[in-house]
């Protein structure tokens, strides 16, 4: 199992960015996939989850600004982020897991910096 | 909304036992998972569903969960155990993390 995030970078406040997470060794559509972020020097903060049935859930501060999705043909998870703010600056991790086994696989993370 | 409370820091002497707590209202009714994170690295699952160890995690790591407190116990602490530790639960289709505990091995 491997998760590889891409798409991070420097973006101006108010801008948009799409993160990708390429999965291998398993099928993203058959599993629970989450995005978790970590601001510099801070703790882990859950962002969003997409369940195997395709339903989604978001942390309150991301609702309406972030959209999680997946591409079955590419076996890839996405996070579309819009109306970005300075406080969205963080390392964003793609992760797999559920309540039965915990979050058992994590990507290496991709850094998003929101700054003018 | 549900909250998880962890101590900011815990210290333990080399070779002794460290206990990191995670408090939450009736947390004993939930599955608690624990993660270890070293600087510059992604988190690693060390305990899942209260007390289960993933393959590759030493037996020195154990967990318990009852009432309003879940506990991660690290026996015979080693210098390599120095890290941040996070508890995590699922609550109403959302994922919650505790604030994290920095473990220092003296």
């Amino acid at each position: 199992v491997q998760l590889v995030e891409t798409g991070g970078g420097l973006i101006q406040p108010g801008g948009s960015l799409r993160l990708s997470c390429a999965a291998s060794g398993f099928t993203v559509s058959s599993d629970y996939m989450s995005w978790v972020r970590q601001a510099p020097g801070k703790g882990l903060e859950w962002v969003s989850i997409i369940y195997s049935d395709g339903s989604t859930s978001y942390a309150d501060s991301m609702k309406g600004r972030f959209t999680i999705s997946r591409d079955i043909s590419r076996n890839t998870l996405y996070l579309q982020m819009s109306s970005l703010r300075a406080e969205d600056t963080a390392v964003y991790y793609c992760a797999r897991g559920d309540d039965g086994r915990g979050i058992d696989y994590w990507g290496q993370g991709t850094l998003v910096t929101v700054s003018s | 909304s549900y909250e998880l409370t962890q101590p900011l820091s815990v210290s333990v002497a080399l070779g002794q036992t460290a206990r990191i707590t995670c408090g939450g209202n009736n947390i004993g009714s939930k599955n608690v998972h624990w993660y270890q994170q070293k600087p510059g690295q992604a988190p690693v699952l060390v305990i899942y569903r209260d007390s289960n160890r993933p393959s590759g995690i030493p037996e020195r790591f154990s967990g318990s969960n009852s009432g309003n407190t879940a506990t991660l116990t690290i026996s015979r602490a080693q210098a390599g155990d120095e890290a941040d530790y996070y508890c995590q639960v699922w609550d109403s289709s959302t994922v919650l993390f505790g604030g994290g505990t920095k473990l220092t091995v003296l």
Side-chain angles (χ1 to χ4, degrees):
Chain A
V1 172
Q2 191 174 16
L3 298 168
V4 179
E5 303 98 332
T6 55
L10 176 63
I11 186 77
Q12 291 190 340
S16 298
L17 201 62
R18 189 180 79 161
L19 305 182
S20 300
C21 171
S24 58
F26 74 103
T27 304
V28 295
S29 61
S30 300
D31 234 307
Y32 293 8
M33 298 297 299
S34 291
W35 288 97
V36 177
R37 72 182 185 182
Q38 187 169 35
K42 303 297 184 182
L44 300 174
E45 180 183 24
W46 174 73
V47 172
S48 180
I49 189 169
I50 184 166
Y51 295 95
S52 52
D53 66 1
S55 62
T56 60
S57 183
Y58 298 88
D60 285 345
S61 61
M62 286 64 149
K63 284 179 183 175
R65 299 191 302 125
F66 291 10
T67 302
I68 191 171
S69 63
R70 65 193 183 195
D71 184 327
I72 297 173
S73 64
R74 296 178 185 271
N75 207 31
T76 298
L77 179 73
Y78 300 102
L79 184 68
Q80 179 69 47
M81 304 184 293
S82 62
S83 302
L84 285 164
R85 311 162 181 164
E87 53 265 37
D88 294 318
T89 294
V91 173
Y92 285 74
Y93 294 101
C94 162
R96 181 193 88 164
D98 59 39
D99 196 27
R101 62 182 179 204
I103 299 175
D104 56 356
Y105 284 97
W106 298 70
Q108 84 287 350
T110 187
L111 176 62
V112 173
T113 302
V114 184
S115 174
S116 55
Chain B
S1 61
Y2 198 81
E3 292 186 359
L4 297 173
T5 302
Q6 295 183 238
L8 282 176
S9 63
V10 168
S11 298
V12 61
L14 187 68
Q16 297 304 302
T17 298
R19 294 179 179 83
I20 298 172
T21 59
C22 177
N25 184 33
N26 196 25
I27 196 173
S29 66
K30 300 181 182 296
N31 290 326
V32 178
H33 314 287
W34 290 92
Y35 304 88
Q36 176 194 68
Q37 187 181 34
K38 296 181 179 180
Q41 298 183 17
V44 172
L45 179 69
V46 294
I47 292 289
Y48 67 96
R49 218 164 61 229
D50 299 340
S51 59
N52 296 277
R53 278 179 292 105
S55 60
I57 301 301
E59 291 183 6
R60 302 184 297 103
F61 288 81
S62 62
S64 63
N65 184 19
S66 178
N68 294 319
T69 305
T71 303
L72 172 69
T73 301
I74 306 171
S75 305
R76 303 182 299 284
Q78 301 178 358
D81 298 332
E82 195 161 280
D84 293 326
Y85 291 85
Y86 297 89
C87 59
Q88 178 254 312
V89 301
W90 256 263
D91 179 70
S92 302
S93 299
T94 63
V95 176
L96 297 173
F97 288 97
T101 299
K102 180 175 180 59
L103 177 68
T104 300
V105 180
L106 304 172

